[in-house]
């Protein structure tokens, strides 16, 4: 070992002159002394000469040196701090004891104002005092004072405050409490142990008999493998840090009971050779009372030898010796250790919990602990209820302080060896028929994992995923997992893909496009690479648009994923009056540019064909985008959405007023002409005193865009009056709405729902093609309608046939150049309808506009056709989109 040159400290040049911190000490950087104790004249200790340290004074052991200097400091009035030491071959060659005001606090925290505000304010206790003694070993265990400085640069503590000096806070002879126990259980200097675990077990057993709790203290590693020394001490050693109270900090903290009182009782064990350790230091006395045997603390709630003998049949696991762990057993890796101990626990009937570990370079496991799941105790914070009004789940107590465990350490050959094993438990074991319920024994099989994604597709809860497994396996203990395990697996899977959600979603769309060239998708990202727009439409959606593009609804009211993106589907109506998807999108915002990008992308996907009519919610930015991108498309607002918002826009007294609701529905849904609507609206506003309602006034100004009386010439606008169609559209997205789903989970559910939607259409096609609806009248028109129309449309047509037979009467008839004009009355209303029938062109139209707005011949036209002795509907009265063959030809 390299030799160390000891330089004797030089005394100050002017002992009786004031100490100047910035000039008096060469080499010391300038410091801000405004917050430090101001220097005074150097102080010399006043006490008897025989009590003072002197050069050449010798002592038997370092403990004697420390005790002498602390005694001297106690009489004078300053604190002592233990300084540097030099160790050669595990022997202290030299050591320094100095005034506690030596040196200066580092200023690293002062420059960062923000960081300084977060740290507690510490009082400045150091002022660069150089008072100290320096001892060197002479021979054996004898030490001699080699150098010293007696003068201090600060005042001394008055006699009535000496007990507050930190180094003097030891227990007095009167206060010392020496544990009373058998001499065989008492530790002593020189006592030898085989391994650190034996030393720890011995000292904790000693503490258990004496009535105090043990805390494991500092240790030092030799070559990063062998523990050179380790300290085991009383749990009341030291003091809790006093962080002080910061008035600006309003954070409420729980009151922590004071458990530490500066007790110095401890032992220090040092490595000798091999795996042998020897007690090198011991302080036996405590400065506090000891716990009586009937009030043992938490760390000592172990199974006593008496209890082990009494309950040996239930506390010691029974299994083959070959399955039991043992100290010295070697494993290839950590995974093998865990698998072995869990297998052992499964056969014995207890659950395993993975405990603490130590990593080398944040990668290699140096040591790891596997323990019984009932180890330790639940904290009182988890068990108690501070606020009775606060609802909290009552948790069952599962921990009882069991100490059964194994500890493995890494060897030089990168294998792991069991260095410690406690076999006994302080609780009973699980019976063999319940072992499948032990948490560490449960695992999801490869067969069970796919059921999670299957139920995700089906939009059912994950807890139902193990029900098919119970049926197929026959017994619940053959399944291998519980509902809770499936839920946890689903949660962990979602957490795993959370940061890569958008990438996985886009990758799935790309994969679909590679598999099917008719699948269309496009996306857009911002400058940071974040997904902002994405649209997709598969081959079936694009084909449906060819047949049913005459009317389209666009809804962007649903925020349905974890990223807060807006789900915007394009939906139409098929020949069975069912909702049908034309495509869907996600938008990051509702800017005009975002809507414009979406509508342009939709047009590209549909071959540039614009819809005839598009129905949306009220949104000015959407309106601007539609007028720019789809100028030839008629834009209308959803009438049912307007009626749904109306109750919250009127006075509370009108919200539940049945008369107001009835009259408003008749006005909005029942008005056939503009004059009729305006007359009813003005009457409602006047009768209910709504002249000052700003929202109703704004809706009236936009009435041409959502009232059907203004849209009688708009193709198929009348189907928007049907609540059945609205319910069909909402039921399709019901499993997604208000769900905080990831994009991947959404895609799984969307695809599954899309398949269900198409299966319903297929079922309806089959029913219409291979079954015949029941006829009510002998009219040939009705029979012809049952042949050409789908069953759902025929039901509407049949209602018109029955009404024509039972309620309609011809009041007047005129004919001019082959065109017959018929006035028909006797309907439910007192209105007279006018039907014009061209027998040459085989065309008919009625003033009620039902055929123009819904596409089904009205009762008035049916009566005229019946009177003209027609048994089949003219082709002009049968729209292709409502026929059974709508997707053919």
């Amino acid at each position: 070992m390299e030799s160390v040159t000891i330089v004797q400290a030089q005394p100050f040049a002017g002992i009786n002159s004031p100490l100047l911190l910035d000039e008096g000490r060469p080499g010391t950087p300038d410091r801000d002394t405004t917050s430090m104790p101001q220097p005074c004249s150097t102080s010399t200790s006043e006490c008897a000469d025989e009590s003072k340290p002197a050069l050449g004074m010798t002592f038997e052991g370092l403990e004697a040196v420390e005790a002498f200097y602390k005694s001297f400091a106690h009489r004078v009035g300053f604190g002592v701090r233990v300084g540097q030491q030099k160790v050669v071959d595990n022997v202290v060659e030299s050591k320094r004891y100095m005034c506690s005001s030596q040196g200066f606090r580092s200023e690293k925290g002062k420059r960062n104002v923000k960081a300084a505000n977060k740290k507690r304010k510490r009082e400045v206790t150091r002022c660069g005092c150089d008072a100290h003694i320096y001892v060197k070993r002479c021979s054996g265990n004898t030490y001699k004072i080699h150098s010293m400085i007696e003068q201090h640069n600060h005042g001394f503590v008055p006699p009535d405050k000496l007990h507050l000096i930190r180094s003097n806070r030891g227990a007095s002879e009167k206060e010392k409490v020496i544990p009373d126990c058998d001499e065989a259980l008492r530790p002593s200097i020189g006592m030898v142990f085989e391994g650190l675990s034996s030393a720890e077990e011995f000292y904790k057993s000693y503490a258990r008999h004496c009535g105090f709790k043990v805390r494991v203290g500092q240790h030092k590693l030799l070559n990063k493998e062998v523990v050179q020394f380790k300290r085991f001490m009383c749990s009341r050693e030291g003091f809790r840090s006093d962080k002080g109270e910061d008035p600006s900090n309003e954070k409420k903290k729980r009151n922590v009971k004071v458990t530490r009182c500066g007790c110095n009782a401890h032992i220090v064990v040092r490595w000798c050779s091999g795996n042998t350790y020897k007690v090198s230091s011991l302080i036996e006395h405590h400065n506090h009372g000891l716990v009586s045997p009937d009030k043992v603390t938490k760390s000592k709630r172990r199974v006593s030898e008496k209890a082990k003998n009494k309950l040996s049949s239930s506390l010691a696991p029974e299994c083959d010796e070959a399955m039991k762990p043992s100290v010295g057993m070697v494993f290839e890796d950590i995974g093998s250790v865990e698998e072995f101990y869990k297998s052992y626990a499964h056969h014995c009937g207890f659950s395993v919990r993975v405990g603490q570990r130590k990593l080398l370079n944040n990668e290699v496991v140096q040591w790891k602990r596997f323990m019984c799941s009932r180890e330790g105790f639940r904290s009182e914070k988890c068990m108690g209820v501070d606020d009775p009004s606060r609802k909290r789940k009552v948790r069952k107590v599962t921990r009882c302080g069991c100490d059964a465990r194994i500890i493995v350490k890494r060897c030089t050959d990168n294998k792991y060896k069991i260095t410690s094993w406690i076999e006994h438990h302080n609780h009973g074991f699980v019976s063999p028929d319940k072992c499948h319920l032990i948490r560490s024994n449960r695992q999801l099989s490869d067969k069970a994992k796919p059921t999670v994604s299957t139920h995700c597709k089906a939009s059912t809860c994950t807890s139902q995923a193990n029900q098919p497994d119970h049926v197929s396996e026959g017994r619940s203990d053959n399944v291998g997992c519980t509902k809770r395990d499936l839920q946890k697996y689903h949660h962990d899977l979602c957490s795993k893909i959370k940061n890569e959600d958008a990438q996985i979603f886009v990758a799935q769309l790309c994969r679909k496009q590679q598999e099917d060239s008719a699948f269309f998708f496009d996306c857009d990202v911002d400058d940071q690479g974040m997904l902002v727009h994405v649209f997709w439409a598969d081959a079936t959606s694009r084909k449906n648009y060819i047949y049913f593009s005459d009317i389209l609804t666009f809804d962007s009211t649903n925020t349905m994923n974890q990223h807060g993106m807006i789900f915007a589907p394009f939906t139409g109506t098929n020949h069975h009056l069912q909702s049908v998807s034309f495509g869907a999108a996600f938008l990051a915002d509702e800017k005009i540019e975002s809507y414009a990008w979406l509508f342009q992308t939709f047009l590209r996907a549909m071959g540039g064909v614009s819809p005839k009519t598009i129905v949306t919610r009220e949104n000015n930015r959407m309106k601007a985008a539609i007028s720019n991108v789809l100028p030839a498309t008629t834009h209308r607002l959803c009438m049912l959405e307007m009626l749904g918002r109306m109750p919250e826009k009127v006075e509370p007294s009108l919200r539940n007023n049945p008369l107001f609701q009835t009259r408003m529905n008749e006005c909005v849904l029942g008005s056939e002409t503009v004059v009729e609507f305006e007359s009813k609206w003005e009457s409602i506003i006047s009768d209910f005193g709504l002249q000052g309602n700003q929202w109703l006034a704004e809706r009236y100004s936009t009435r041409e865009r959502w009232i059907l009386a203004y849209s009688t010439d708009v193709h198929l606008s009348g189907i928007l009056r049907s609540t059945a169609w609205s319910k069909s559209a909402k039921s399709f997205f019901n499993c997604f709405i208000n769900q905080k789903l990831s994009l991947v989970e959404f895609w799984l559910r969307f695809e599954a729902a899309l398949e269900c939607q198409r299966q319903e259409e297929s079922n309806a096609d089959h029913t219409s093609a291979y079954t015949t609806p029941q006829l009510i009248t002998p009219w040939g028109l009705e029979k012809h309608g049952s042949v050409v129309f789908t069953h759902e449309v025929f039901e509407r047509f049949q209602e018109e046939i029955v009404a024509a037979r039972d309620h309609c009467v011809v009041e007047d008839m005129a004919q001019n150049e082959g065109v017959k004009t018929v006035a028909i009355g006797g309907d439910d209303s007192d209105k007279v309808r006018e039907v014009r029938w061209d027998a040459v062109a085989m065309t008919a139209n009625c003033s009620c506009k039902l055929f123009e707005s819904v596409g089904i011949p009205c009762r008035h036209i049916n009566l005229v056709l019946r009177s003209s002795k027609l048994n089949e509907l003219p082709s002009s009265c049968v729209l292709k989109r409502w026929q059974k063959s709508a997707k053919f030809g």
Side-chain angles (χ1 to χ4, degrees):
M1 182 176 289
E2 297 181 2
S3 60
V4 179
T5 304
I6 305 297
V7 180
Q8 181 171 339
Q10 299 295 325
F12 295 112
I15 294 179
N16 296 320
S17 61
L19 176 65
L20 302 177
L21 293 178
D22 55 347
E23 298 176 359
R25 296 189 62 188
T28 302
D30 295 343
R31 295 178 180 269
D32 179 13
T33 61
T34 57
S35 60
M36 298 181 180
Q38 295 301 313
C40 59
S41 299
T42 55
S43 305
T44 305
S45 56
E46 297 181 0
C47 65
D49 291 339
E50 61 272 13
S51 301
K52 288 184 177 183
L55 293 176
M57 186 177 287
T58 58
F59 303 88
E60 287 295 326
L62 287 173
E63 291 82 1
V65 179
E66 184 174 350
F68 168 78
Y69 197 56
K70 284 187 176 180
S71 176
F72 166 69
H74 179 71
R75 289 191 297 272
V76 174
F78 67 94
V80 174
R81 220 167 70 240
V82 180
Q84 304 90 338
Q85 66 178 14
K86 177 185 175 184
V87 179
V88 179
D89 297 332
N90 293 331
V91 177
V92 178
E93 288 291 325
S94 61
K95 199 164 187 176
R96 188 167 180 253
Y97 301 90
M98 52 204 176
C99 175
S100 60
S101 294
Q102 181 267 354
F104 297 90
R105 289 284 182 196
S106 63
E107 299 183 358
K108 63 181 180 180
K110 292 184 178 181
R111 297 180 181 179
N112 191 340
V113 178
K114 186 175 180 180
N117 292 335
K118 293 182 179 180
K119 293 184 177 180
R120 64 186 179 94
K121 297 180 180 179
R122 303 181 64 180
E123 296 181 358
V124 178
T125 58
R126 301 190 186 181
C127 59
C129 181
D130 280 330
H132 73 276
I133 64 170
Y134 185 77
V135 295
K136 277 190 172 184
R137 190 172 72 91
C138 301
S139 60
N141 195 33
T142 304
Y143 289 86
K144 181 174 68 175
I145 296 181
H146 182 69
S147 71
M148 63 172 285
I149 294 179
E150 185 181 1
Q151 292 80 13
H152 298 255
N153 67 344
H154 56 82
F156 299 116
V157 176
D160 59 332
K161 297 290 192 303
L162 291 177
H163 63 284
L164 298 177
I165 298 176
R166 186 169 186 177
S167 61
N168 297 339
R169 294 177 192 167
S172 64
E173 294 297 329
K174 184 177 180 181
E175 295 172 336
K176 288 180 180 179
V177 178
I178 300 177
D180 183 16
C181 69
D182 297 338
E183 289 299 323
L185 293 172
R186 199 182 295 275
S188 60
I189 300 290
M191 186 176 285
V192 179
F193 301 94
E194 287 294 328
L196 283 172
S197 58
S198 300
E200 180 178 354
E201 198 67 35
F202 168 81
Y203 195 58
K204 286 187 175 180
S205 176
Y206 164 69
R208 186 161 55 248
H209 284 83
C210 297
F212 67 94
K213 184 179 175 181
V214 174
R215 216 167 75 237
V216 179
Q218 306 90 337
H219 72 276
K220 181 180 179 182
L221 291 178
L222 184 64
N223 299 327
K224 296 184 179 180
E225 292 183 358
V226 181
V227 176
Q228 190 170 4
F229 72 85
K230 197 165 188 177
R231 188 166 178 255
F232 302 95
M233 53 205 176
C234 174
S235 64
R236 304 194 70 177
E237 181 268 351
F239 297 90
R240 288 284 182 194
S241 60
D242 184 12
K243 295 183 179 180
E245 295 184 0
D246 188 357
S248 62
N249 187 5
E250 299 179 355
K251 184 178 179 181
K252 294 183 179 180
K253 293 185 177 180
R254 64 186 182 91
N255 295 325
V256 180
K257 295 180 180 179
V258 178
T259 57
R260 301 191 186 180
C261 59
C263 181
N264 284 325
H266 73 275
I267 64 168
V268 177
V269 293
R270 287 186 177 272
W271 175 73
C272 300
S273 61
N275 195 33
T276 305
Y277 288 84
K278 182 172 65 174
V279 177
S280 61
S281 175
L282 164 67
I283 294 181
E284 189 177 5
H285 59 266
H286 299 254
N287 67 347
H288 57 85
L290 302 177
V291 180
S292 58
D294 60 333
K295 296 181 180 179
V296 183
T297 54
K298 276 186 179 181
S299 69
K300 297 184 284 297
R301 292 176 188 166
R302 299 178 175 225
V303 183
S304 64
E305 293 297 329
K306 183 178 179 181
K308 287 179 182 178
N309 296 332
K310 184 178 178 181
L311 301 173
S312 58
S313 60
S314 61
L315 297 179
E318 296 180 356
C319 69
D320 296 338
E321 290 296 326
M323 298 192 65
K324 285 188 177 182
S326 60
V327 175
M329 188 176 286
V330 179
F331 301 89
E332 289 294 328
D333 50 43
I334 282 291
S336 301
V337 179
E338 183 173 353
E339 182 180 355
F340 167 79
Y341 196 57
K342 284 186 175 180
S343 176
Y344 163 71
H346 178 72
H347 283 82
C348 296
F350 67 94
S351 183
V352 175
R353 215 167 76 236
V354 179
Q356 304 92 333
R357 68 176 183 177
K358 181 180 179 182
L359 294 179
L360 184 64
N361 298 327
N362 291 329
E363 294 181 356
V364 181
V365 176
Q366 195 73 6
W367 58 264
K368 197 166 187 177
R369 190 167 176 251
F370 300 92
M371 53 204 176
C372 175
S373 64
R374 305 194 69 178
E375 182 268 351
F377 297 88
R378 288 286 181 194
S379 63
E380 296 180 0
K381 177 182 178 182
C382 296
M383 303 301 297
V385 180
D386 299 332
D387 187 2
S389 62
R390 180 184 175 186
K391 293 183 179 179
R392 196 171 190 172
K393 180 181 177 182
V394 179
R395 303 182 64 181
K396 295 181 175 64
V397 178
T398 57
R399 301 191 186 181
C400 59
C402 181
D403 282 326
R405 50 128 174 98
I406 62 169
I407 297 176
V408 293
K409 286 191 177 180
R410 180 171 166 267
C411 306
T412 54
D413 56 356
N414 293 328
K415 295 183 179 180
Y416 290 87
K417 182 173 66 174
I418 296 179
T419 58
S420 175
W421 174 42
I422 295 179
E423 181 181 10
H424 286 83
H425 298 252
N426 66 349
H427 55 86
F429 300 109
V430 178
S431 58
D433 61 328
K434 298 291 192 302
C435 282
H436 65 281
L437 299 175
I438 296 176
R439 185 171 182 177
S440 62
N441 297 339
R442 301 196 307 260
Q443 59 181 355
L444 260 70
S445 63
D446 294 336
K447 183 179 179 181
K449 290 178 181 178
T451 61
V452 176
S453 60
T454 301
H455 280 262
C456 184
K457 288 181 180 179
S459 302
T460 57
C461 59
T462 312
S463 61
Q464 298 176 4
N466 70 335
Q467 292 180 5
D469 293 332
H470 281 287
V471 176
S472 61
E473 298 294 342
R475 290 177 53 187
S476 60
D477 54 343
N478 294 331
V479 176
C481 61
T482 63
K483 291 189 296 185
R484 181 68 176 172
D485 298 327
L486 288 168
Q487 290 170 343
K488 185 178 184 299
Y489 172 76
H490 178 252
H491 178 270
D492 294 342
L493 186 63
C494 293
S495 300
K496 186 176 181 180
I497 66 174
K498 183 177 181 180
N499 296 330
E500 300 179 358
D501 188 25
Q503 292 89 332
I504 297 175
F505 176 59
V506 173
Q508 286 178 325
L509 297 178
C510 290
R511 194 178 305 113
K512 292 281 288 185
Q513 193 174 51
Q514 291 173 357
E515 295 172 355
D516 183 4
S517 59
F519 183 90
F520 179 92
F521 100 95
D522 194 8
C523 62
D524 190 20
V525 296
D526 60 12
D527 297 337
Q528 288 75 35
M530 305 295 289
L531 184 67
V532 291
H533 311 133
V534 60
F535 170 83
W536 69 93
D538 65 3
T540 304
S541 296
R542 299 173 74 183
K543 185 177 179 181
N544 285 334
Y545 184 77
I546 295 175
Y547 301 119
F548 309 119
S549 61
D550 41 15
I551 186 166
L552 175 150
T553 61
F554 175 72
D555 184 14
S556 61
T557 59
N558 303 311
T559 302
M560 293 175 293
N561 68 10
Q562 294 175 348
H563 313 287
M565 299 186 77
I566 302 164
F567 176 59
F570 292 87
T571 309
T573 304
N574 67 5
H575 52 314
H576 297 288
L577 294 176
Q578 298 170 335
S579 63
V580 58
S581 176
F582 295 148
F586 275 115
L587 301 176
D589 54 58
E590 292 191 86
K591 296 179 181 178
I592 296 177
E593 294 80 6
S594 298
Y595 283 125
W597 178 92
L598 179 56
F599 294 135
Q600 289 168 357
T601 306
F602 177 79
L603 277 183
R604 285 195 291 116
M606 303 307 166
V609 178
S610 300
K612 294 181 180 179
T613 304
I614 185 170
V615 181
T616 70
R617 65 186 176 92
E618 189 176 24
N619 186 301
N620 291 331
R621 287 165 294 201
M622 192 187 302
K623 175 185 176 184
I626 291 174
S627 61
N628 291 333
V629 181
L630 305 172
T633 300
T634 302
H635 182 200
R636 290 292 181 265
L637 302 180
C638 181
M639 177 179 59
L640 298 179
E641 189 251 348
M642 291 289 190
L643 288 176
R645 293 169 58 192
M646 194 166 294
E648 63 185 37
K649 301 298 182 180
V650 297
E651 296 294 329
S653 59
L654 296 179
R655 291 173 187 171
N656 298 320
N657 189 327
L659 179 59
F660 172 75
Q661 294 178 354
T662 301
R663 291 185 60 180
M664 184 59 73
N665 288 336
E666 289 177 354
C667 174
V668 174
L669 300 175
S671 299
E672 296 182 359
T673 64
V674 173
V675 175
E676 182 183 357
F677 166 76
E678 292 180 351
S679 174
K680 290 181 178 179
W681 182 274
E682 291 176 2
S683 176
I684 292 173
I685 297 297
S686 175
D687 293 346
F688 294 97
L690 297 173
Q691 292 85 351
N693 191 303
Q694 184 65 26
W695 186 84
L696 289 176
E698 292 175 357
R699 300 295 78 73
Y700 184 75
S701 64
T702 60
R703 59 191 181 277
E704 294 87 356
R705 297 176 58 202
W706 63 283
I707 296 299
L708 291 181
Y710 294 87
S711 304
T712 54
D713 57 337
V714 177
H715 182 63
L716 295 183
S717 61
I719 67 173
L720 301 179
R721 183 187 281 111
S722 172
T723 57
W725 173 82
S726 177
K727 290 178 181 179
S728 175
K730 285 188 176 296
S731 65
F732 172 64
F733 303 111
N734 191 41
C735 54
F736 312 128
I737 295 175
N738 298 326
Q739 294 285 336
K740 297 299 181 181
L741 302 174
S742 64
L743 290 170
V744 175
E745 284 183 292
F746 172 87
W747 174 254
L748 292 175
R749 296 194 178 194
F750 180 82
E751 275 204 315
L754 206 59
E755 288 300 321
C756 291
Q757 182 191 81
R758 289 165 183 172
Q759 184 60 43
E760 289 179 2
E761 180 179 337
S762 178
N763 294 339
D765 282 339
H766 178 81
T767 302
S768 293
Y770 298 104
T771 62
T772 303
Q774 185 176 0
L775 303 180
I776 300 176
T777 70
W779 290 14
L781 294 175
E782 182 186 10
K783 184 176 181 180
H784 183 241
S786 68
V787 174
V788 297
F789 292 129
T790 62
H791 283 7
E792 293 78 14
V793 176
F794 174 72
E795 289 180 3
R796 296 284 304 275
F797 174 70
Q798 191 176 51
E799 292 176 1
E800 298 299 320
I801 289 289
V802 173
R805 184 194 66 177
D806 297 341
H807 302 292
C808 296
V809 178
V810 176
E811 294 186 356
D812 192 12
M813 182 183 301
Q815 189 163 354
N816 184 17
E817 298 180 357
V819 177
K820 184 188 294 185
T821 303
V822 183
I824 298 177
D827 202 351
D828 293 339
S829 64
D830 55 355
K831 298 177 182 177
V832 176
R833 312 294 183 175
E834 185 179 277
V835 178
R836 293 174 58 84
W837 164 246
D838 188 341
V840 178
M842 298 294 285
T843 59
N845 59 73
C846 179
S847 60
C848 71
K849 300 290 185 181
L850 180 68
F851 180 74
E852 287 79 4
S853 62
V854 179
I856 298 175
C858 64
R859 60 194 66 181
H860 315 109
I861 291 178
N862 288 327
L863 183 60
V864 172
L865 296 178
R866 164 73 173 172
S867 63
S868 299
K869 302 185 184 303
L870 292 179
N871 292 323
E872 292 187 0
L873 292 168
S875 59
S876 61
C877 295
V878 181
L879 293 186
K880 179 69 175 178
R881 69 153 9 260
W882 297 133
Q883 295 181 29
K884 296 177 182 180
S885 59
K887 289 189 174 183
F888 302 100

